[in-house]
């Protein structure tokens, strides 16, 4: 029992990160709120006010802002970090992100080239098939 | 020998707080399991986004995004869903502190914002169908209704879940099980807002720029 009293300061030491974590998560939430509002308003403003004459540049900026906003939401609102659930949530998220990118980018890429390489088919050619 | 005892005790102490923390958040296994569900749901949306991406310019001679999409309405809807995500975040500290009243209030506010979102989406869909731009008009519109409709269906399920929590909070108060359910619901709700980031940027804004 006497050894327990020796460890008491250590116990309080360990207690502090817990409360600091709560404080950190509130702070991360508030930063997330501010950033998410900004990252929502800017793309709408860019498109609705036609601020940039070049649509490709507008699309590129919107794409980058959307990616940033997804990361902000995942970190501040879903509290994804390297520690939660022993790192398994992060691993599952990264795996999902790889599959999502492969599915979307792969489909769009392949089907675009498929369309571009298709022989143009006049309506007359389709006649006998019906 | 005494040193070794000390070592063991230190590791004991080091591990205990994390276990306690997991119990506080209402069961780590459930939260991890729910996270895996959200990731698989993200894959469903990925395939819908991929389909939309492939046919997003296949109008079949019908109307395109520029004629159909009403950006101020989309901006309003985006604001409603983002606000509902923020109000849900307001409920969490009250829930962790065990205050039933404010938890219910913030959940109810979140539910009302979500209901307004679904209501506006219904209005938008009804308007499109009325204009002859229903899901059967072109591949673009089929993919649009499937993607946005699947998201809207998820939000509707979230609304039913919020209503259930409001009733159960009145019955049980903030027990460990209730906290766990609300934590899972908050993950679900924030997840739906993340999917909407993809929808408003890549469906609506990209469609209008095109």
């Amino acid at each position: 029992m006497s050894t327990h009293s020796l460890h008491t300061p250590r116990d309080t030491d360990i207690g502090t990160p817990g409360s600091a974590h709560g404080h950190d998560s509130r702070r991360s939430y508030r930063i997330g709120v501010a950033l998410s509002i900004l990252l929502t308003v800017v793309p709408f403003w860019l498109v609705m006010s036609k601020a940039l004459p070049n649509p490709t540049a507008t699309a590129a900026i919107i794409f980058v802002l959307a990616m940033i906003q997804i990361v902000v939401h995942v970190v501040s609102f879903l509290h994804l970090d390297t520690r939660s659930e022993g790192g398994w949530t992060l691993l599952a998220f990264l795996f999902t992100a790889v599959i999502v990118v492969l599915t979307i980018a792969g489909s769009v890429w392949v089907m675009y080239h498929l369309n571009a390489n298709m022989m143009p088919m006049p309506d007359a050619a389709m006649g006998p098939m019906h | 020998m005494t040193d070794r005892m000390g070592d063991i005790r230190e590791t004991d102490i080091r591990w205990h707080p994390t276990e306690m923390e997991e119990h506080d958040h209402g069961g780590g296994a459930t939260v991890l399991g729910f996270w895996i569900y959200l990731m698989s749901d993200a894959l469903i949306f990925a395939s819908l986004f991929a389909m939309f991406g492939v046919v997003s310019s296949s109008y079949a001679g019908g109307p395109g995004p520029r004629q159909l999409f009403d950006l101020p309405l989309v901006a309003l809807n985006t604001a409603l869903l983002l606000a509902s995500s923020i109000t849900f975040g307001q409920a969490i500290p009250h829930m962790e502190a065990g205050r039933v009243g404010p938890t219910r209030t913030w959940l109810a506010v979140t539910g009302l914002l979500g209901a307004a979102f679904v209501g506006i989406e219904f209005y938008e869909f009804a308007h499109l169908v009325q204009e002859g731009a229903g899901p059967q008009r072109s591949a673009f519109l089929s993919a649009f209704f499937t993607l946005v409709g699947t998201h809207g269906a998820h939000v509707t399920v979230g609304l039913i879940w919020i209503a259930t929590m409001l009733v159960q909070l009145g019955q049980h108060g903030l027990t460990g099980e209730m906290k766990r359910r609300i934590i899972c619901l908050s993950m679900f709700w924030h997840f739906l807002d993340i999917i909407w980031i993809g929808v408003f940027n890549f469906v609506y804004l990209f469609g209008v720029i095109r």
Side-chain angles (χ1 to χ4, degrees):
Chain A
M1 277 298 110
S2 59
T3 48
H4 182 261
S5 64
L6 276 174
H7 283 288
T8 313
R10 201 174 278 276
D11 278 345
T12 51
D13 275 1
I14 288 163
T16 342
S19 48
H21 176 71
H23 181 73
D24 272 1
S25 92
R26 294 314 293 165
R27 196 168 147 265
S28 138
Y29 167 77
R30 275 195 291 272
I31 294 171
V33 167
L35 280 178
S36 63
I37 292 172
L38 185 73
L39 289 165
T40 302
V41 169
V42 170
F44 272 100
W45 172 75
L46 275 177
V47 174
M48 290 169 85
S49 71
K50 297 187 177 68
L52 294 173
N54 183 355
T56 315
T58 312
I61 293 171
I62 289 175
F63 181 83
V64 172
L65 292 179
M67 291 301 129
I68 296 172
Q69 193 178 359
I70 288 172
V71 172
V72 166
H73 277 237
V74 168
V75 171
S76 323
F77 295 160
L78 287 178
H79 307 298
L80 181 71
D81 55 35
T82 51
R83 288 164 300 145
S84 57
E85 310 298 338
W88 285 106
T89 47
L90 181 65
L91 200 63
F93 176 78
L94 291 177
F95 173 72
T96 310
V98 169
I99 302 290
V100 166
V101 169
L102 281 179
T103 308
I104 298 176
S107 301
V108 172
W109 184 39
V110 167
M111 294 308 287
Y112 174 77
H113 282 275
L114 193 68
N115 281 337
N117 292 325
M118 245 351 205
M119 248 205 303
M121 192 182 270
D123 284 345
M126 299 194 41
M129 283 157 73
H130 286 290
Chain B
M1 184 69 198
T2 42
D3 274 6
R4 204 171 280 169
M5 286 292 282
D7 278 356
I8 289 165
R9 205 161 267 133
E10 265 181 46
T11 52
D12 273 358
I13 288 165
R14 206 168 290 153
W15 279 103
H16 268 291
T18 50
E19 277 176 25
M20 295 287 275
E21 206 171 61
E22 277 183 4
H23 285 300
D24 255 12
H25 286 286
T30 308
V31 171
L32 179 57
F34 197 75
W35 181 265
I36 305 279
Y37 154 69
L38 289 183
M39 293 301 106
S40 60
D41 217 5
L43 295 182
I44 291 179
F45 280 107
S47 62
L48 294 178
F49 272 110
M51 179 183 69
F52 182 82
V54 168
V55 300
S56 58
S57 51
S58 310
Y59 307 135
R66 219 183 279 239
Q67 291 100 55
L68 295 176
F69 295 158
D70 182 9
L71 279 192
L73 196 70
V74 180
L76 173 65
N77 240 0
T78 305
L80 284 171
L81 202 62
L82 181 60
S84 80
S85 226
I86 294 169
T87 55
F88 208 133
Q90 297 294 325
I92 297 300
H94 290 297
M95 183 207 74
E96 278 169 349
R99 292 188 287 267
V100 178
T103 308
R104 287 182 91 183
T105 310
W106 283 114
L107 268 182
V109 172
T110 306
L112 286 176
L113 289 166
F117 172 87
V118 173
I120 290 178
E121 199 163 285
F122 261 110
Y123 165 78
E124 188 196 13
F125 280 11
H127 192 68
L128 287 176
V129 171
Q130 220 169 20
E131 282 185 339
Q136 71 275 38
R137 182 62 191 83
S138 63
F140 154 70
L141 280 164
S142 304
F144 167 80
F145 274 93
T146 311
L147 172 58
V148 182
T150 304
H151 177 270
H154 276 75
V155 177
T156 309
V157 170
L159 289 177
I160 296 168
W161 194 349
I162 288 177
T164 312
M165 289 301 100
L166 288 175
V167 172
Q168 288 194 334
L169 274 173
Q171 289 171 339
H172 312 303
L174 274 167
T175 57
E177 286 85 1
M178 284 306 294
K179 285 185 180 177
R180 190 188 65 216
R181 288 166 195 162
I182 294 173
I183 287 289
C184 287
L185 173 56
S186 83
M187 288 162 69
F188 184 66
W189 200 261
H190 290 312
F191 167 76
L192 292 182
D193 198 25
I194 292 172
I195 298 297
W196 187 254
I197 297 171
V199 173
F200 84 74
N201 281 298
F202 301 129
V203 174
Y204 289 103
L205 293 182
F206 266 42
V208 173
I209 303 171
R210 187 187 284 276

